[in-house]
Amino acid sequence: MKLDLLGKQWLDIVFEGRNKSYGAYELRKDNTKTTTRALIIGAIVFAIAVATPKIAEFIGNATANDEAVLDTKITTVKLPPKEEKPKENLPPPPPPPPKVDQVKFVKPVVAKTNEVTEEPPKIEEIKDKNLGKENIKGDPDAELTVEPVGNGPKDVVEEVDNNIYNTAGIEVKPDFPGGIEKFYGYVGKNYQVPEEEGLKGKVFVSFVVEKDGSLTDIKVIRDIGYGTGKEAIRVLKNCPKWNPGEQNGKKVRVLYSLPINIQSAE
């Protein structure tokens, strides 16, 4: 009796009288299936490993071709030229200048008498004429147009100085008619102190003395409350005109600031 090693009969002979539930018997029994399965999986993995570079190369070539086609389409697109609108209200072009006789200028060259082909023009011929590359006959009937000479501006417009100067650098400072004491007398007479017991302090104000002596841009820099700032603005708005400041012999606008003492009646 021949024993077929490729079959499963030899397993029964080898494991006769032994424990077949042991793992070695089961492994040898399923060896054919395991080997076949391993060959199939190995073949699939090998095929994928071989085909992957080809697939990547194919995808790369397709992408490159798509980009080349896209670039070609983009570069071949031409936009229509922009239509320029004719400019309006343009002055008419100046008339062409009248033609003047022009005499061809021949550069003097030292040569022998028999080699001279063209003599240069004489002084009488080029008098009151232009020199050019060829002789051109002017238009003797052309009218010469000359613009009339203007008279220029009749009045000299002086530049208006609207700068606001500081009292520190002004030549002539603005002042109240009669002096600063008169001004404080006016303020003390017209300023209505709030009826607040023990109210005492200084209200600092600033204003611009205009060229005509009026006060503008009145601002309260600091007050002590209870409406003291608003009352200071009211008094300054009704203030008589000051004598304006001067710089370089001209009246100018000057920024002025001063304190106003406030003290309620006890």
Side-chain angles (χ1 to χ4, degrees):
M1 177 181 175
K2 292 184 179 180
L3 183 62
D4 187 7
L5 296 177
L6 297 177
K8 298 181 181 180
Q9 297 176 356
W10 65 274
L11 288 174
D12 296 333
I13 296 173
V14 172
F15 285 90
E16 185 177 357
R18 297 183 180 182
N19 185 11
K20 293 184 179 180
S21 352
Y22 188 66
Y25 178 78
E26 295 296 331
L27 289 175
R28 285 170 176 77
K29 183 179 179 181
D30 298 334
N31 185 41
T32 304
K33 295 181 180 179
T34 305
T35 303
T36 304
R37 190 181 303 165
L39 287 174
I40 294 174
I41 295 174
I44 294 173
V45 172
F46 179 77
I48 293 174
V50 172
T52 299
K54 297 293 183 181
I55 296 173
E57 183 180 357
F58 176 76
I59 295 174
N61 292 336
T63 305
N65 293 334
D66 293 342
E67 292 180 354
V69 172
L70 181 59
D71 292 340
T72 304
K73 290 182 179 179
I74 291 175
T75 53
T76 55
V77 173
K78 294 183 179 181
L79 296 176
K82 293 183 179 180
E83 297 183 358
E84 295 185 358
K85 296 182 180 180
K87 297 181 179 180
E88 300 179 355
N89 300 328
L90 292 177
K99 293 183 178 180
V100 182
D101 292 344
Q102 181 173 299
V103 179
K104 182 179 180 181
F105 174 75
V106 180
K107 186 177 181 180
V109 180
V110 178
K112 296 180 180 180
T113 305
N114 56 357
E115 295 179 356
V116 176
T117 58
E118 186 177 2
E119 294 184 357
K122 298 179 182 180
I123 297 177
E124 290 79 6
E125 296 178 358
I126 63 175
K127 187 177 181 181
D128 299 331
K129 295 179 177 64
N130 295 330
L131 296 179
K133 295 182 180 180
E134 58 183 4
N135 294 333
I136 298 176
K137 190 66 177 176
D139 186 3
D141 299 329
E143 296 183 0
L144 297 177
T145 57
V146 180
E147 294 292 333
V149 180
N151 297 325
K154 296 181 179 180
D155 299 329
V156 178
V157 179
E158 294 184 0
E159 186 178 355
V160 179
D161 185 5
N162 287 325
N163 296 325
I164 298 177
Y165 292 83
N166 197 292
T167 55
I170 199 72
E171 293 178 355
V172 179
K173 296 180 180 181
D175 62 346
F176 189 79
I180 195 66
E181 297 298 330
K182 282 272 188 179
F183 171 76
Y184 279 119
Y186 161 79
V187 173
K189 184 178 179 180
N190 295 274
Y191 192 94
Q192 297 179 3
V193 180
E195 296 180 358
E196 186 69 24
E197 185 177 354
L199 183 62
K200 184 178 181 181
K202 293 183 178 181
V203 177
F204 291 87
V205 295
S206 67
F207 50 86
V208 175
V209 181
E210 298 290 342
K211 298 177 183 180
D212 60 352
S214 60
L215 305 184
T216 61
D217 197 18
I218 303 171
K219 296 179 180 179
V220 176
I221 302 174
R222 191 180 69 187
D223 63 4
I224 56 177
Y226 303 101
T228 53
K230 292 182 179 180
E231 180 63 16
I233 293 176
R234 185 192 67 81
V235 173
L236 292 177
K237 283 184 177 180
N238 298 325
C239 179
K241 290 187 176 181
W242 288 44
N243 297 321
E246 294 184 9
Q247 185 76 5
N248 297 325
K250 298 179 181 179
K251 296 179 179 179
V252 292
R253 306 171 69 198
V254 181
L255 178 65
Y256 204 97
S257 59
L258 48 80
I260 299 176
N261 292 323
I262 306 296
Q263 185 174 359
S264 60
E266 296 180 357

